[in-house]
Amino acid sequence: MIPAFFDNPVMGVDEVEAVAGVRGQATYTALARLEEAGVVHEITGRKRDKVWAASDLLAELTVLDSRIAAGMRRR
């Protein structure tokens, strides 16, 4: 399931199930384990239609975006 977050670092359950190939309770169990490990965290605070984000990956993408933008300004 972790590689799925590399392509889309913010996903809801339907998206996770579609790309990871797991369904139902297995999805929630896997997401809970990833959350306990600090890989993803739930960002909506809702009971339904939850969305999880790979925060460290998002942070790295933000740094990369800033570095690219800075490089483009120097040209």
Side-chain angles (χ1 to χ4, degrees), residues 6-57:
F6 287 117
D7 292 330
N8 190 357
V10 178
M11 292 191 285
V13 171
D14 292 341
E15 295 164 303
V16 171
E17 289 179 338
V19 297
V22 294
R23 300 277 182 255
Q25 188 58 42
T27 304
Y28 291 98
T29 300
L31 285 167
R33 287 181 180 166
L34 290 175
E35 195 164 21
E36 288 171 10
V39 175
V40 300
H41 71 278
E42 199 280 321
I43 60 173
T44 61
R46 299 184 289 206
K47 291 188 179 206
R48 293 184 181 200
D49 300 322
K50 292 181 178 185
V51 176
W52 285 264
S55 300
D56 289 345
L57 178 57

